[in-house]
Amino acid sequence: MNSSETQELVEKTATRSTDIILDSKQTDPPHASKGGIQRTSFLDIFSEPFQWLRMLCKELNTSFVVGVALVYGLSQGFSGSFFRVVTDYYWKDVQKVQPSAVQLYVGFYYIPWIMKPVWGLLTDVFPVRGYRRRPYFILAGVLGAISALVIAIHGKLPIFLALVCLVGMTAGVAIADVTIDACIARNSIKQPSLAPDMQSLCGFCTSVGALIGYSTSGMFVHHLGAQGSLGLLVLPPALLILLGFVIYESRNSNNGPQEKKKKAALETVSGAIEGMYKTMKVPGVWKPSLYMYFSLALSLSTSEGQFYWYTDPKAGPAFSQEFVGMIYAIGALASIAGVLIYHKILKDYPFRNLLFFAQLLYATSGMLDLMFILRWNLKIGIPDYFFVVMEECISRIVSRIRWMPMIVLSTKLCPLGIEGTFFALLMCIDSLGSLSNKWAGGIVLHLLNVTRTDFTNLWLVILIRNLLRFSTLSLIFLIPKGDQSNVLVPPDLLSQGSTLNMEEGLQLVSVNKKTQVHEEL
């Protein structure tokens, strides 16, 4: 498919989406009262999100939208935020380890995310009883539920076993994530004009889930303790098991000889690896991937040092468990604001311009942490409680604005046919960057002697982190200049000689819509 045909497909898809929204607005009942104009305006504002969701359900299939809400909202949003607060208290109060050691342990949480290409290959080329998606939702749920039960029921586990259980919980989230991400990547390729909308949906669900998780985490830690609170995280993976049984997926009725099926699977794996290698060699793919890695790796994580300082009664402000959860909950609200700002204002800006200014704001906002650690807020008359909430809100909004275009860019870099595997590879690169900044942050905390009780050099760690964030701006030339609606990778990049069956897997669009898209292709 040449560039003119690709552009025509994008324009047609955008026109269909616009028509759906206009049709839904035209069906609204007229209001003849004197206050009809005001009432109509209010109703339009109130109903706009529901019309948007109805459009996504019609264009992308309702089961896809529900799956995104469950995986991103409950499994990642709620479970991830609740897990963050509870495990911080678990390491601090139950295991009683140093902040630099916690940074090292937290880095291991990213290993299942680094393995996303493996999960992607499994979901793409190794069906179970004819199903490619359902079994992996079930596997994710079983793994997460068992891990949460073990760490909650037993007493104080040895550090190694506790770490294995916590990594098992994150592995369950990662496997479910890569399964739904394959669906998102495929839809982004087939309907590129809706790629920003899909990421807005993901970001909104994650933020709402995080809001609930953060706002309740401190309360549960206070009443149940950190270990007891971990038992509540059995519920999200249990619902993933249910999703695996009820989500619609056509069964692949391949009843050939076993050896023939194994050979076909190996050929498919070989084709997927070859396709990833071929795609990664394209300059328009490896350059932005390199930027995304360094933008994360160069931002040293100081979260555990700051957490220990937040809760210290002598050196820090001694925030309570409930207030720590509330800080993060308010930050989740700010994340929703960041999603809305991106969706309403920024989604049409070119990638390079948007990411440059987002990174600049990200580095500048990091200076607020430095002001707080040095207690400059008290010198200018701003209380700790107000300042930390303000800092968290600004940081979350800027982080969301910086992160969402990078996710949209990642979906644009995936070739059709191995979109699940390749998107998992790109997310693996991002997770590797996060692991790098966690471990590098832990090393710096250790070298500068930031401990459970000594925070003298914590300000210096944060200053080094902020300077490295500014240095990332020098790599912005790696990001393409194109708009976020542009097609960056030709859909037929792997069409010749590909061993992958692009029509197998979860049905994400209606039969008529899918047929229409392929006819246009």
Side-chain angles (χ1 to χ4, degrees):
M1 183 170 64
N2 58 35
S3 58
S4 61
E5 291 172 333
T6 301
Q7 185 63 31
E8 182 182 357
L9 174 58
V10 171
E11 291 174 355
K12 287 181 179 180
T13 306
T15 302
R16 287 197 299 270
S17 301
T18 305
D19 290 343
I20 291 171
I21 297 176
L22 290 176
D23 291 344
S24 65
K25 288 184 177 181
Q26 290 173 358
T27 58
D28 290 341
H31 300 279
S33 62
K34 292 182 180 180
I37 296 177
Q38 280 187 334
R39 205 168 119 194
T40 302
S41 177
F42 173 77
L43 289 176
D44 286 343
I45 294 173
F46 179 77
S47 63
E48 183 178 352
F50 299 98
Q51 293 175 1
W52 178 63
L53 285 175
R54 185 173 67 176
M55 180 272 292
L56 291 179
C57 290
K58 185 173 183 180
E59 291 289 311
L60 303 172
N61 190 286
T62 302
S63 65
F64 167 75
V65 176
V66 172
V68 168
L70 182 57
V71 175
Y72 274 91
L74 184 63
S75 182
Q76 289 194 47
F78 171 79
S79 183
S81 59
F82 196 91
F83 180 87
R84 175 184 173 182
V85 177
V86 172
T87 54
D88 277 346
Y89 279 105
Y90 178 78
W91 290 119
K92 178 177 179 288
D93 297 336
V94 179
Q95 297 290 350
K96 299 186 184 300
V97 297
Q98 297 292 344
S100 57
V102 178
Q103 289 269 170
L104 175 65
Y105 300 150
V106 170
F108 284 102
Y109 299 167
Y110 291 95
I111 290 179
W113 297 92
I114 293 173
M115 293 177 62
K116 284 186 72 172
V118 177
W119 315 135
L121 278 173
L122 291 174
T123 59
D124 280 345
V125 303
F126 288 106
V128 178
R129 302 181 66 86
Y131 293 105
R132 296 179 179 272
R133 309 301 182 194
R134 285 185 171 186
Y136 295 98
F137 281 122
I138 296 172
L139 172 63
V142 170
L143 181 59
I146 292 176
S147 300
L149 280 174
V150 170
I151 199 171
I153 292 176
H154 287 76
K156 181 181 176 181
L157 290 172
I159 290 179
F160 175 76
L161 292 179
L163 183 60
V164 169
C165 290
L166 294 176
V167 171
M169 294 170 68
T170 60
V173 178
I175 294 171
D177 173 79
V178 77
T179 307
I180 202 69
D181 278 349
C183 307
I184 295 171
R186 181 179 288 267
N187 274 358
S188 296
I189 294 167
K190 292 187 174 181
Q191 302 207 43
S193 64
L194 292 179
D197 294 272
M198 282 183 271
Q199 294 307 322
S200 297
L201 175 64
C202 295
F204 180 78
C205 291
T206 304
S207 297
V208 171
L211 172 62
I212 299 172
Y214 283 134
S215 60
T216 58
S217 58
M219 176 187 67
F220 280 111
V221 170
H222 179 75
H223 291 287
L224 301 179
Q227 191 168 353
S229 299
L230 286 171
L232 298 176
L233 293 180
V234 175
L235 177 61
L239 292 178
L240 287 179
I241 297 174
L242 179 62
L243 176 66
F245 282 106
V246 302
I247 194 170
Y248 172 73
E249 180 184 6
S250 59
R251 186 174 184 178
N252 181 20
S253 57
N254 186 3
N255 298 318
Q258 199 69 20
E259 290 189 6
K260 186 176 180 180
K261 289 193 287 185
K262 288 182 179 179
K263 183 179 179 181
L266 290 175
E267 289 178 353
T268 306
V269 172
S270 176
I273 295 174
E274 181 182 352
M276 286 192 293
Y277 176 72
K278 180 179 179 180
T279 305
M280 191 56 76
K281 289 196 303 181
V282 177
V285 175
W286 69 260
K287 286 183 178 180
S289 301
L290 189 63
Y291 173 85
M292 287 187 280
Y293 169 77
F294 280 113
S295 69
L296 292 169
L298 291 177
S299 179
L300 299 182
S301 174
T302 60
S303 59
E304 301 307 324
Q306 290 176 261
F307 171 76
Y308 276 60
W309 181 80
Y310 284 163
T311 56
D312 189 83
K314 297 180 180 178
F319 292 144
S320 66
Q321 296 164 339
E322 291 87 350
F323 187 72
V324 169
M326 194 56 60
I327 293 172
Y328 293 140
I330 295 172
L333 279 175
S335 292
I336 298 175
V339 172
L340 294 176
I341 292 172
Y342 168 79
H343 181 71
K344 291 292 186 181
I345 302 174
L346 302 175
K347 69 177 182 179
D348 295 324
Y349 280 81
F351 279 116
R352 183 179 294 184
N353 293 345
L354 179 55
L355 285 173
F356 175 83
F357 287 105
Q359 182 66 30
L360 181 62
L361 285 174
Y362 183 62
T364 304
S365 64
M367 292 298 178
L368 293 174
D369 287 329
L370 185 62
M371 293 177 60
F372 192 36
I373 296 297
L374 294 174
R375 311 312 296 271
W376 290 354
N377 61 297
L378 297 179
K379 294 180 181 179
I380 59 178
I382 302 178
D384 288 335
Y385 292 90
F386 179 82
F387 189 87
V388 73
V389 168
M390 178 189 68
E391 182 274 329
E392 182 73 9
C393 289
I394 295 174
S395 175
R396 288 296 192 92
I397 290 173
V398 173
S399 295
R400 184 63 68 178
I401 292 173
R402 169 178 168 265
W403 179 243
M404 292 195 66
M406 288 200 288
I407 295 295
V408 174
L409 178 58
S410 295
T411 63
K412 297 287 186 178
L413 301 179
C414 298
L416 189 62
I418 57 169
E419 63 277 3
T421 305
F422 197 79
F423 188 80
L425 175 64
L426 295 176
M427 294 299 98
C428 158
I429 294 172
D430 290 349
S431 298
L432 186 60
S434 298
L435 182 146
S436 299
N437 74 45
K438 285 289 183 183
W439 283 358
I443 292 172
V444 175
L445 287 170
H446 178 73
L447 292 177
L448 294 179
N449 197 36
V450 177
T451 67
R452 293 172 57 89
T453 56
D454 187 356
F455 304 96
T456 306
N457 292 325
L458 181 58
W459 71 272
L460 184 57
V461 179
I462 293 176
L463 178 61
I464 294 172
R465 180 203 69 181
N466 293 341
L467 293 177
L468 289 173
R469 287 182 179 179
F470 279 109
S471 69
T472 306
L473 293 170
S474 63
L475 301 175
I476 199 66
F477 69 92
L478 296 171
I479 296 296
K481 295 181 179 179
D483 292 335
Q484 297 182 56
S485 60
N486 289 355
V487 176
L488 302 179
V489 175
D492 58 349
L493 178 65
L494 303 178
S495 61
Q496 294 183 353
S498 176
T499 61
L500 296 176
N501 187 345
M502 297 181 186
E503 295 307 314
E504 293 176 346
L506 188 63
Q507 302 299 314
L508 301 177
V509 292
S510 64
V511 175
N512 292 336
K513 181 65 66 181
K514 187 166 65 174
T515 303
Q516 187 178 31
V517 168
H518 279 283
E519 288 175 352
E520 291 171 345
L521 287 171

